[in-house]
Amino acid sequence: MEEPCGAGAAAPLRGDAEEPKQGSVLFLGGNEVKSSAVVKYSSAPPQAAFARLQEKTDLKLPPANWLRESAKLGPAGTTILGNSKKSKPFSSFGMAYDFIDSVGNDVDVVSDSENIKKLLKIPYSKSHVSMAVHRIGRTLLLDELDIQELFMRSSQTGDWTWLKEFYQRLIDQKWQRKKKSKEHWYQKAILSKFLYYSINGDGAAQPVPSTSKQHQGGPVAGESDEAGRASWPAPFEMPSSLSEDPGASNQGLKNDFVRNILWTFEDIHMLVGSNMPIFGGGRYPAVSLRLRDNNKPINVLTGIDYWLDNLICNVPELVMCFHVNGIVQKYEMIKTEDIPNLENSNFSTKVIKDIAQNILSFLKSNCTKEGHTYWLFKASGSDIVKLYDLTTLCEETEDKYQNPFTMPVAILLYKVACNMMLKKNQNKKHYGTIRTLLLNCLKLLDNGRHPQIIASANYMLSELFQLDEPKKEDSADFPINGNSDESYSEEEEEMPDSDENGSYSNSSDPPDDNKAVAIIKSVGELSVPEKYKSVHRIRPSCAFPVCHGTEERCRLVLNHVLEGLKSVDSSVKKEGDLPAADPSTPIPLKYEDESTSGGPESLEKQMALFLDKMGSFQKGKHSSQSGMIPGSWQYKMKLQLILKSSRAYYVLSDAAMVLQKYGRALRYIKLALQCHDTYCCLCGSMLPEVLVFLCQCLTLCGDIQLMLAQNANNRAAYLEEYNYQTKEDQEILHSLHRESRCQGFAWATDLSTDLEYQLSVSCKCYEAAYEILLFSNLKSQNPEQHIQVLKRMGNIRNEIGVFYMNQAAAVQTERVVSKNVSTTEQQLWKKSFSCFEEGIQNFESIDDATNAALLLCNTGRLMRICAQAHCAAEGDYKREFSPEEALYYNKAIDYYLKALRSLGKRDVHPAVWDSVNWELSTTYFTMATLQQDYAPLSRKAQEQIEKEVSEAMMKSLKYCDVDTVSERQPLCQYRAATIHHRLASMYHSCLRNQVGDEHLRKQHRVLADLHYSKAVRLFQLLKDAPCEFLRVQLERVAFAEFQMASQNSSAGKLKTLSGALDIMTKTRGAFQLIRKDLVAESEQISKDKSPAESMSVNDSPAGLNKEEVLKLLGIFESRMSFLLLQSIKLLTSSKKKIGGTNEEEAVLKTNKQVYSLLLRATANKGLSLLERTELILNLLDQLAPRNTEGNPGMQ
């Protein structure tokens, strides 16, 4: 547990003391300053009560325990001497590594407490200040940059020579090492001895035993052991082998402080390291112990020192021991809040607060570049504080690795990014920050020296882009900001600050200061409240690049993946036999046409090899051509990068598929599968999610091959897309070729020009995906994927079945001479049938009734093609409907009925239901028509044939829906009308040819009449079948004539004749339609002015068959003439016998008149078709009134 303590509350590490208060407020000298501290970690033992030394104790004499390791004092004694535990230049980095959660986000400053005190004392002190400043996110890391120490080292090692030269040139030409005085070492030694005496007292004073208990055992907070301690550089799994970094250990990047404290001073949050010894005893459970020379009064600097130390460590009281020449005089207790008011060391806490805020604002405003080392420098005795960018200075002279901070900064940037990455799913708004951290980290690193971190950072950068999410998140989740490289913009960085924000510009400075980034002209300015405002707020979230589409997002991912792969490959020792890959030479994308590919047979072999290879992964085989060691960081990282690139290519392929760029889609899925093949070669065992992804790739590949097969007319464009390669793709391929031949999926990704081969490949892709789901036991875990694959398998089998069926139909059309069915046709039928059968099984296994019905429907169609193939050649007049035809038509009917049973009811899928019904009706109709037209009289009796025809026709009617309004309704009405017409004709024919059984004759007469009337009614509904309507009416007239021939009485004959003429008049509507079509045609001809074309008899724009019209018109005229003549004869004879009524005389007169006109017209051979039609209409008009007004019984 962390222990929050308010200033003036319990000691930070005393768990049993009074209840601690978070963020206590101190009222100091009338000025309110808020300060609170939370101990994040402490290695100190339980606080010992200090031993009060007797007066006259001589501190110059060493105690018995001096300089021995003391559990009670911890490292404090030796720290005070300054010989072994001196603050290191990288101390803030050690803390930052331990508390990675705080860096870059919540904390403003990470530093040693000594550095914080030094900064806050700048306006009061004449001594020099030299610190290195680094920015990580919104956190500043401060470290002492001991110029003396560095330049001594420079003389020995040659490091930092550039800084030494710069320092001598600009700041201190006559630099020489300043030695510390004897007095300094004397004071150090006496303090150290005093602390040891205070523990032991040398028998003069007994220590007061502590009643409080303290849990020992390392970190107080759990944080430092969790994500914060994650070793690097693998981003998501942190293997122990990576924790020892040579750069980290030899540069002292350890957290050496006795305690790390999260100190909040006003609104500034600081992570501070402190080694101050804390003792128990007195009125409070915690005190700090100080030794003072009684002859020297406490000055302001010492007062500020003591006050800040107590605030940072939350110590409520100070115990001061006064001595003269090392002889103890007296002790004095001072409360922390009273320190600012001590005599001779008065200072305003409010001013200290202002100084802290001003310095932080100054640094935050100017230390803007992540990864850069800034140097805050104030010369001894000077009032001017300068800030230099050492990274820029270093790069001007030598390489960046001359700056020893480069590596620690890079690693810290990387670690902070890692830590945020581990929590990346919690908040996507941090993606911009993570990306900026990683990009800045990469800028600092050299591939030759740090391939592991570079590869890992690039992988993490690629992980930031969500490949499987809709692109709307680009604009929704991330702040839109055009500047993606840094978390600040160039305009802001370079904008000169106005005077109210502190004059940073160096325009008035001497010319030799032009290297400084910013300058504080006088330390006095720091005491002015809000003199320096941080106008350049370091933003908590940086801009994430807005991708304007999937392709752009994937390309960014692939760019990072490529950089990562290059890094991995460069670190693997190249084997002598490995071919040197030239990234500028494209790797040929193998292109096959149907002449080279062995067709579906060779495909089967390749497929079997692939599945065998997939099976071997379960046994854990792997092989790498480049000699990577399984388990090494290169091996793990390359696997991750390859998988990422595979996913990116999959997404690109899917996007190209949506855009119907099928060549491009195939190229991308080929790359995705090549990546996958390499992954397979390297990886001993396949993770379930990787196998599921492979299924998705194969499924998409199958889709693309199917689309290529269906869009064969654009093949040239697709081929061009397929063969195009970017440099990036080539380089990724070269990296893949280091590990494998990438040919494992070649069978699936070749672009063929053969339709059958493409369909087969598509099918094999789906089958492979299905097999993987099956043998990996992933079916139950991924039901959606399983259903999708089976659906596609059913679909492709339907496509292949239809392909073979169409081929069989084409062969059949070409076969003219031979009457026998060829072997080719039979082979095609079998292939087609087996495809349909497998497809039906696929759909039935996932309860897809609709698609199963469609495939059953297609199987029915195949059976009809088989039936058609068995009919004899057209020229044979003795042709009969064969038993083979009957067999296949009945099979077709069975499949259609199965399809209906599969659907169950129309509501399931109305369109499919209607389609199946129509096909079923057509099959019955075709079979009945063939039996009627080519009656198998050699095998069956006429009566049986008529019965079968009648039954088939009635069944066809049953499945022919004339009532439902749809696009197919006119077709159904035409079909029904034709059936009725055919049945009527058949019964009419039976009646003519039948002798004997009067009951049967009467039945046939009734049926013929019924079907004729139904046919007429249906043909009347259609506006485009005048000829059919005319034919039916003429047959009815012929039927009436046939009945009249068997009548004896004149009255009966007259009645029948009148009925027949009535039928004639009812054809008026049909003639009007014919006239309309003929008029439209003549107008069209006159427009085109090409009368030569009008001579063609059959040519008619409205689709009117003129030959048929001429034929029917001829019959109509002759029948009308015959009926009128018979009517005139009968009416004349009856008039002579009994004297006719007025009505009969009127009828006779009209008939004579019409007959006369008709005879004249038929005699005139020069009349056109249109004129003849108009004449007939005119004659019908004359006959019609008589029939409507005359004897209603005749109608």
Side-chain angles (χ1 to χ4, degrees), residues 868-923:
Q868 285 163 22
H870 282 91
C871 74
E874 286 176 23
D876 191 355
Y877 293 110
K878 294 174 185 175
R879 149 148 166 69
E880 285 188 358
F881 183 66
S882 67
E884 288 82 11
E885 285 176 89
L887 173 75
Y888 281 114
Y889 278 122
N890 282 316
K891 279 188 176 180
I893 287 163
D894 285 345
Y895 282 112
Y896 289 130
L897 289 169
K898 270 187 195 170
L900 288 178
R901 282 199 296 277
S902 171
L903 287 168
K905 54 181 186 289
R906 187 173 185 269
D907 300 350
V908 174
H909 201 299
V912 176
W913 177 269
D914 292 346
S915 176
V916 175
N917 269 306
W918 172 252
E919 295 297 336
L920 188 53
S921 169
T922 306
T923 310

Side-chain angles (χ1 to χ4, degrees), residues 10-80:
L13 292 176
R14 304 296 293 230
D16 299 343
E18 65 177 272
E19 191 63 35
K21 298 172 207 155
Q22 177 79 39
S24 307
V25 177
L26 289 177
F27 293 92
L28 305 168
N31 294 324
E32 184 186 291
V33 175
K34 295 176 195 154
S35 169
S36 68
V38 176
V39 178
K40 302 283 276 184
Y41 164 80
S42 172
S43 62
Q47 284 148 22
F50 72 92
R52 189 185 283 265
L53 304 182
Q54 289 184 350
E55 271 188 61
K56 311 295 180 193
T57 302
D58 189 351
L59 297 176
K60 295 193 285 297
L61 301 173
N65 63 351
W66 192 43
L67 298 185
R68 290 180 190 163
E69 281 295 329
S70 162
K72 290 178 180 172
L73 196 58
T78 46
T79 303
I80 298 300

Side-chain angles (χ1 to χ4, degrees), residues 225-383:
D225 284 326
E226 291 166 13
R229 282 203 183 276
S231 53
W232 53 280
F236 301 118
E237 50 173 296
M238 306 287 187
S240 55
S241 61
L242 300 175
S243 58
E244 291 86 26
D245 170 52
S249 57
N250 62 18
Q251 289 175 328
L253 300 187
K254 291 211 294 280
N255 185 355
D256 280 337
F257 295 104
V258 173
R259 56 184 76 74
N260 300 128
I261 298 150
L262 197 56
W263 180 42
T264 305
F265 184 60
E266 281 295 306
D267 56 348
I268 304 169
H269 303 286
M270 293 177 261
L271 182 63
V272 183
S274 169
N275 288 325
M276 183 177 80
I278 299 174
F279 294 88
R283 288 164 297 170
Y284 294 98
V287 294
S288 59
L289 208 53
R290 301 288 182 177
L291 184 67
R292 291 295 308 160
D293 190 330
N294 210 8
N295 299 328
K296 294 178 185 170
I298 297 175
N299 60 22
V300 172
L301 294 175
T302 312
I304 292 173
D305 235 23
Y306 292 174
W307 181 69
L308 287 173
D309 265 335
N310 276 17
L311 275 192
I312 290 167
C313 293
N314 242 355
V315 176
E317 198 164 21
L318 167 70
V319 174
M320 197 101 74
C321 175
F322 292 93
H323 74 99
V324 175
N325 294 329
I327 308 296
V328 174
Q329 301 294 312
K330 62 171 179 173
Y331 278 84
E332 195 177 316
M333 308 283 268
I334 304 163
K335 285 184 181 178
T336 302
E337 57 262 43
D338 295 336
I339 296 172
N341 304 319
L342 289 176
E343 196 181 345
N344 297 323
S345 86
N346 275 7
F347 61 89
S348 162
T349 56
K350 193 94 168 66
V351 170
I352 302 291
K353 180 204 78 171
D354 292 334
I355 293 168
Q357 287 172 336
N358 278 327
I359 288 177
L360 182 67
S361 296
F362 172 77
L363 291 175
K364 280 202 170 185
S365 297
N366 295 292
C367 302
T368 50
K369 294 180 181 175
E370 259 178 343
H372 280 227
T373 298
Y374 292 91
W375 180 30
L376 186 72
F377 180 78
K378 181 175 93 73
S380 186
S382 167
D383 267 1

Side-chain angles (χ1 to χ4, degrees), residues 926-1136:
T926 308
M927 195 161 75
T929 308
L930 289 170
Q931 272 186 295
Q932 195 176 6
D933 294 351
Y934 305 102
L937 292 166
S938 61
R939 296 197 318 279
K940 292 178 184 176
Q942 180 74 34
E943 290 80 9
Q944 192 189 348
I945 292 167
E946 285 167 7
K947 186 186 172 190
E948 284 177 8
V949 168
S950 173
E951 281 174 2
M953 288 290 192
M954 292 315 285
K955 280 179 181 169
S956 180
L957 270 176
K958 177 186 169 185
Y959 294 107
C960 186
D961 182 5
V962 289
D963 302 320
T964 306
V965 178
S966 67
E967 286 180 10
R968 203 180 265 129
Q969 192 186 21
L971 275 176
C972 291
Q973 288 170 339
Y974 186 86
R975 161 78 50 80
T978 310
I979 289 170
H980 285 302
H981 179 199
R982 276 186 163 271
L983 285 171
S985 298
M986 187 178 79
Y987 291 127
H988 183 178
S989 170
C990 292
L991 199 60
R992 281 177 182 278
N993 302 328
Q994 220 168 27
V995 225
D997 192 345
E998 192 55 42
H999 173 69
L1000 202 59
R1001 282 173 68 80
K1002 188 180 179 183
Q1003 196 180 355
H1004 282 163
R1005 191 181 299 118
V1006 171
L1007 283 168
D1009 202 38
L1010 173 73
H1011 286 298
Y1012 273 134
S1013 59
K1014 282 186 177 179
V1016 166
R1017 194 174 72 249
L1018 284 161
F1019 277 131
Q1020 269 177 326
L1021 293 170
L1022 299 164
K1023 301 294 176 198
D1024 57 352
C1027 293
E1028 287 82 349
F1029 179 68
L1030 210 51
R1031 189 178 288 283
V1032 174
Q1033 292 292 52
L1034 286 171
E1035 279 191 31
R1036 284 180 79 190
V1037 169
F1039 186 58
E1041 286 178 19
F1042 172 70
Q1043 284 175 295
M1044 192 174 72
S1046 60
Q1047 286 174 324
N1048 298 322
S1049 71
S1050 294
K1053 282 187 177 183
L1054 202 56
K1055 188 179 178 182
T1056 307
L1057 273 172
S1058 181
L1061 280 168
D1062 192 34
I1063 289 167
M1064 286 271 188
T1065 56
K1066 283 179 181 169
T1067 58
R1068 191 169 176 277
F1071 280 112
Q1072 281 176 330
L1073 285 171
I1074 291 167
R1075 182 180 64 180
K1076 187 181 168 188
D1077 286 348
L1078 291 168
V1079 168
E1081 184 191 345
S1082 63
E1083 283 173 2
Q1084 185 67 40
I1085 289 166
S1086 60
K1087 266 186 198 171
D1088 296 347
K1089 294 180 182 174
S1090 52
E1093 291 176 15
S1094 68
M1095 298 309 287
S1096 168
V1097 176
N1098 287 318
D1099 190 27
S1100 165
L1104 192 69
N1105 187 342
K1106 284 203 215 167
E1107 203 174 309
E1108 177 84 351
V1109 173
L1110 281 166
K1111 194 169 148 190
L1112 289 169
L1113 200 60
I1115 299 168
F1116 189 87
E1117 285 168 348
S1118 73
R1119 289 345 291 154
M1120 194 176 182
S1121 174
F1122 170 77
L1123 289 173
L1124 287 168
L1125 181 62
Q1126 294 301 315
S1127 168
I1128 291 163
K1129 281 180 183 176
L1130 282 169
L1131 283 168
T1132 309
S1133 65
S1134 69
K1135 186 183 171 185
K1136 283 177 184 174

Side-chain angles (χ1 to χ4, degrees), residues 763-799:
C763 187
K764 293 291 171 236
C765 286
Y766 299 139
E767 284 172 12
Y770 181 68
E771 289 291 328
I772 291 165
L773 285 175
L774 215 59
F775 71 61
S776 316
N777 299 321
L778 294 168
K779 201 167 71 168
S780 51
Q781 296 157 31
N782 301 275
E784 186 56 38
Q785 179 95 358
H786 180 239
I787 288 167
Q788 283 301 318
V789 170
L790 276 169
K791 208 167 242 186
R792 282 171 161 82
M793 273 165 74
N795 179 52
I796 191 66
R797 282 167 174 164
N798 177 48
E799 291 284 342

Side-chain angles (χ1 to χ4, degrees), residues 371-440:
H372 280 227
T373 298
Y374 292 91
W375 180 30
L376 186 72
F377 180 78
K378 181 175 93 73
S380 186
S382 167
D383 267 1
I384 298 171
V385 182
K386 297 179 185 177
L387 185 74
Y388 297 96
D389 182 346
L390 291 189
T391 304
T392 311
L393 293 172
C394 175
E395 283 166 358
E396 284 172 11
T397 53
E398 301 181 45
D399 81 314
K400 60 188 169 191
Y401 291 99
Q402 275 290 311
N403 176 359
F405 283 102
T406 301
M407 264 313 288
V409 173
I411 291 166
L412 187 56
L413 287 165
Y414 174 83
K415 282 190 150 195
V416 173
C418 268
N419 184 55
M420 292 175 87
M421 197 72 177
L422 289 164
K423 304 172 182 172
K424 74 179 175 118
N425 294 332
Q426 293 170 16
N427 201 342
K428 285 182 187 165
K429 73 179 182 202
H430 289 145
Y431 280 19
T433 310
I434 296 171
R435 182 172 178 274
T436 307
L437 288 165
L438 290 169
L439 288 174
N440 286 327

Side-chain angles (χ1 to χ4, degrees), residues 1146-1186:
V1147 168
L1148 180 61
K1149 189 181 173 186
T1150 307
N1151 284 4
K1152 279 181 177 176
Q1153 195 180 341
V1154 171
Y1155 182 62
S1156 159
L1157 286 167
L1158 184 60
L1159 281 176
R1160 279 197 211 110
T1162 47
N1164 183 1
K1165 301 290 179 190
L1167 291 175
S1168 70
L1169 186 56
L1170 180 60
E1171 287 166 337
R1172 284 172 72 185
T1173 308
E1174 283 175 338
L1175 180 84
I1176 294 287
L1177 277 167
N1178 184 25
L1179 296 176
L1180 291 174
D1181 283 344
Q1182 291 183 41
L1183 281 173
R1186 188 278 322 258

